[in-house]
Amino acid sequence: MTHSDDNPLWQMVKKLTAHAPILEEDRDALLALPVTLARYRAGSYLVREGDIPSQCGVIVDGFAYRSKLTHIGGRQIVSVHIPGEIIDLQHLFLDVADHNIQTLTNCEVASVSRSALRELARERASIGHAVLINVLVEGSILREWLLSIGRRTARERLAHLLCEFAVKLDMQGLAAGHRYELPMSQEQLADALGLTTVHVNRTLRVLIAEGLILRDHRFVSFPRWDDLKRVSGFQSRYLHLPTQISQQLAT
Amino acid sequence: MTHSDDNPLWQMVKKLTAHAPILEEDRDALLALPVTLARYRAGSYLVREGDIPSQCGVIVDGFAYRSKLTHIGGRQIVSVHIPGEIIDLQHLFLDVADHNIQTLTNCEVASVSRSALRELARERASIGHAVLINVLVEGSILREWLLSIGRRTARERLAHLLCEFAVKLDMQGLAAGHRYELPMSQEQLADALGLTTVHVNRTLRVLIAEGLILRDHRFVSFPRWDDLKRVSGFQSRYLHLPTQISQQLAT
DNA sequence: CGTTATCTTGACCGTCGTCAAACAGGGTGG
DNA sequence: CCACCCTGTTTGACGACGGTCAAGATAACG
């Protein structure tokens, strides 16, 4: 009944129900939470390591990433989030943030109180369950990144990441024909891939020379999509895409 | 009241309640599940990528690990599990396994039906909640591994892993004074660290020469524990140890 | 249009990988 | 008890992938 379609929390509901159904009454309870819509400019911190976060948000527009630092200052980006993704679930029940969350671009985020969402997740099984599955999928992606960084060459890594973005963005209707605007600088790509800026640049250049990537300005497209997947060993299973759709894109 | 102390599922209960309380009746329902206790010899597969697992188990004795393969055959170990840990939670709600699970040593595993545990987790909030938190902690560890492999040198990586084992084993009472039997071959260490066997050997040798590691046979100990933590940048926050205990070991 | 971030390229270097061989160590069976 | 094997460890020589340092070129943006 609460069909206020402009409620930005619909994004969160959509994400949560992607893998598991939510009871109507639970959904309505979620939509009834007080929500704040905030804009951040590129590079803003949403959460800092060591913080006790008080909000949990979904990206309405823009991109964000999570990162960790070594004691020496090396930075590793551990995930990148696109519009429609919930960025704070891993801190829902852990007291103190173990990583940073920052915006990659200018960003619009719809947030609810962490404790309120926590209560919902605890009391309403269908919501708790949906949260769990979202977290499980994120874990799977983390494992694939670990494989990439641990065992793939720079070229494979970069190609793999570009494939991942293409598929994820396509799922959100943001990358028709696998063409999209790459939201990351080469320095950020480097931090996501465990490489240096210089080497990302050179690797990118190789892929372009091989005709595997086409770029104009910040946009990338892939004239030989199948070859790109082949050289990177990309298989979308680890993304655990909602089933029907995964049939079309999977291979 | 169900105080049949020999039920191997107590291990699972203990693990689940480490971070979040479970209602007594829920705990009893869990303990009432039919359980099978099985032995595996070192190297056995518990789950294969692509499988639809039917069991969910807790390690009673021995060690296990999870791994992924690139299309070329490179192997990355994405986590190592010690006695008392539940090894299959990430597959509880995902249809198809996205990685392999194998025993590292001879192993004793207490298993329950995956679907039965799934039902429990779905119907009994306190269990579902405990499962979620366990999964969240695993995610945090994955992120730290990503940081290690992406941004730390071989020496730092190896030292960091040895610290992690020491702390985790100590929590289980299996590494008094941070001394323990390393359950992995150097080849397995290499696959966990994103290195090669040869380089692990050399790095290990350096750490020994520096007096940071002491070895006899498969046992390791750390005469300069604080220095070891310093060179690896180890901080136990990412392990999200149960609070009281984390005070003692944290720094 | 100037200022700054980002990209690009070159020269050089080092960590780590590759290949190969020798060397334990721990079971097994004769 | 010793030969035997198998797995795991250790070492050397060499090569390469990727890092470092530094400078110049483009593009983004107010």
Side-chain angles (χ1 to χ4, degrees):
Chain A
M1 313 299 149
T2 54
H3 223 66
S4 54
D5 293 275
D6 50 350
N7 187 336
L9 287 183
W10 273 106
Q11 292 276 0
M12 192 178 285
V13 170
K14 201 168 140 201
K15 186 71 191 176
L16 286 175
T17 52
H19 295 94
I22 290 188
L23 293 180
E24 262 193 56
E25 57 174 299
D26 292 350
R27 185 198 63 195
D28 292 345
L30 181 55
L31 289 171
L33 290 180
V35 56
T36 62
L37 198 57
R39 291 180 178 286
Y40 301 88
R41 47 188 44 247
S44 310
Y45 278 86
L46 301 179
V47 175
R48 282 189 137 88
E49 183 173 351
D51 278 1
I52 299 168
S54 61
Q55 302 280 105
C56 182
V58 61
I59 301 180
V60 175
D61 187 53
F63 294 83
Y65 67 96
R66 300 190 273 145
S67 68
K68 299 194 65 154
L69 301 175
T70 66
H71 63 303
I72 313 177
R75 183 174 74 155
Q76 178 65 42
I77 292 180
V78 297
S79 69
V80 176
H81 296 283
I82 71 172
E85 292 190 328
I86 307 172
I87 45 180
D88 241 354
L89 287 183
Q90 37 307 108
H91 289 139
L92 242 200
F93 294 97
L94 300 179
D95 326 332
V96 48
D98 54 59
H99 60 271
N100 305 294
I101 308 182
Q102 286 178 79
T103 56
L104 208 45
T105 63
N106 291 339
C107 224
E108 196 172 5
V109 179
S111 300
V112 298
S113 150
R114 176 174 169 258
S115 57
L117 182 59
R118 187 160 46 179
E119 284 317 303
L120 272 194
R122 199 139 45 185
E123 285 164 12
R124 295 172 182 267
S126 80
I127 291 183
H129 185 241
V131 167
L132 172 55
I133 292 190
N134 255 267
V135 171
L136 287 173
V137 171
E138 280 204 36
S140 175
I141 295 175
L142 280 175
R143 286 189 289 273
E144 185 71 29
W145 279 44
L146 208 48
L147 176 63
S148 257
I149 295 187
R151 286 298 181 222
R152 290 200 244 257
T153 66
R155 198 174 80 116
E156 292 166 342
R157 270 182 241 184
L158 179 52
H160 195 276
L161 186 67
L162 293 173
C163 285
E164 180 177 311
F165 281 162
V167 170
K168 279 176 67 172
L169 288 169
D170 201 355
M171 291 282 303
Q172 285 283 329
L174 295 174
H178 293 139
R179 179 177 186 275
Y180 59 90
E181 183 173 1
L182 190 63
M184 309 173 75
S185 71
Q186 292 182 8
E187 184 183 5
Q188 290 160 337
L189 281 173
D191 284 343
L193 297 171
L195 298 169
T196 58
T197 311
V198 173
H199 202 64
V200 164
N201 183 286
R202 291 190 170 122
T203 308
L204 208 49
R205 222 111 273 298
V206 169
L207 290 174
I208 292 169
E210 293 173 321
L212 288 168
I213 299 179
L214 212 65
R215 270 202 328 172
D216 65 298
H217 300 270
R218 308 277 296 207
F219 280 83
V220 289
S221 55
F222 312 102
R224 297 161 50 200
W225 174 245
D226 288 338
D227 287 333
L228 189 71
K229 282 201 302 186
R230 179 141 16 84
V231 308
S232 65
F234 181 84
Q235 292 175 226
S236 63
R237 167 148 66 204
Y238 73 97
L239 291 173
H240 293 278
L241 303 174
T243 41
Q244 335 79 329
I245 305 167
S246 80
Q247 304 309 326
Q248 307 164 21
L249 304 173
T251 45
Chain B
M1 316 307 146
T2 54
H3 224 64
S4 54
D5 294 276
D6 50 350
N7 187 336
L9 288 183
W10 273 106
Q11 292 276 1
M12 193 178 284
V13 169
K14 202 168 138 201
K15 185 71 191 176
L16 287 175
T17 51
H19 296 94
I22 289 187
L23 294 181
E24 263 193 56
E25 56 173 301
D26 292 349
R27 185 199 64 192
D28 292 345
L30 180 56
L31 288 171
L33 289 180
V35 56
T36 61
L37 198 57
R39 291 181 179 286
Y40 300 89
R41 45 189 46 247
S44 310
Y45 278 87
L46 301 180
V47 175
R48 272 178 208 274
E49 182 174 351
D51 278 1
I52 299 167
S54 61
Q55 302 280 104
C56 182
V58 62
I59 301 181
V60 175
D61 186 53
F63 294 83
Y65 68 96
R66 301 191 271 144
S67 68
K68 300 195 63 155
L69 301 176
T70 66
H71 63 302
I72 312 177
R75 182 173 75 154
Q76 178 65 41
I77 292 179
V78 297
S79 70
V80 176
H81 296 283
I82 72 172
E85 292 190 327
I86 307 172
I87 45 181
D88 241 356
L89 287 182
Q90 38 309 107
H91 289 139
L92 243 200
F93 294 99
L94 300 178
D95 325 333
V96 48
D98 54 60
H99 61 270
N100 306 293
I101 308 182
Q102 286 177 81
T103 55
L104 207 45
T105 62
N106 290 339
C107 224
E108 196 173 4
V109 179
S111 301
V112 298
S113 150
R114 177 173 168 259
S115 57
L117 182 58
R118 186 161 48 179
E119 284 317 302
L120 270 194
R122 197 137 49 184
E123 285 163 11
R124 296 173 181 267
S126 80
I127 290 183
H129 185 240
V131 168
L132 173 54
I133 292 189
N134 255 267
V135 171
L136 288 173
V137 172
E138 280 204 35
S140 174
I141 295 175
L142 281 174
R143 286 188 288 274
E144 185 71 28
W145 279 44
L146 209 48
L147 175 63
S148 257
I149 295 187
R151 288 295 182 226
R152 290 200 244 256
T153 65
R155 198 173 82 116
E156 292 166 341
R157 270 182 241 183
L158 180 52
H160 196 276
L161 186 66
L162 293 174
C163 286
E164 180 176 311
F165 282 162
V167 171
K168 280 176 66 172
L169 288 170
D170 202 355
M171 292 282 303
Q172 286 281 330
L174 296 174
H178 293 140
R179 178 176 187 275
Y180 57 91
E181 183 174 2
L182 190 62
M184 309 173 74
S185 70
Q186 292 181 10
E187 183 184 5
Q188 290 160 337
L189 281 173
D191 284 343
L193 297 171
L195 298 169
T196 58
T197 310
V198 173
H199 202 66
V200 164
N201 183 285
R202 293 193 167 120
T203 308
L204 207 49
R205 225 109 272 299
V206 170
L207 289 174
I208 292 168
E210 293 174 322
L212 288 168
I213 299 179
L214 211 64
R215 269 201 329 171
D216 65 299
H217 300 271
R218 308 276 298 204
F219 281 83
V220 288
S221 55
F222 312 102
R224 297 161 50 201
W225 173 247
D226 288 337
D227 287 333
L228 189 71
K229 283 199 303 186
R230 179 142 15 83
V231 308
S232 64
F234 181 84
Q235 293 175 225
S236 62
R237 167 148 66 205
Y238 74 99
L239 292 173
H240 294 279
L241 303 174
T243 41
Q244 335 78 329
I245 305 167
S246 80
Q247 304 309 323
Q248 305 164 22
L249 303 172
T251 47

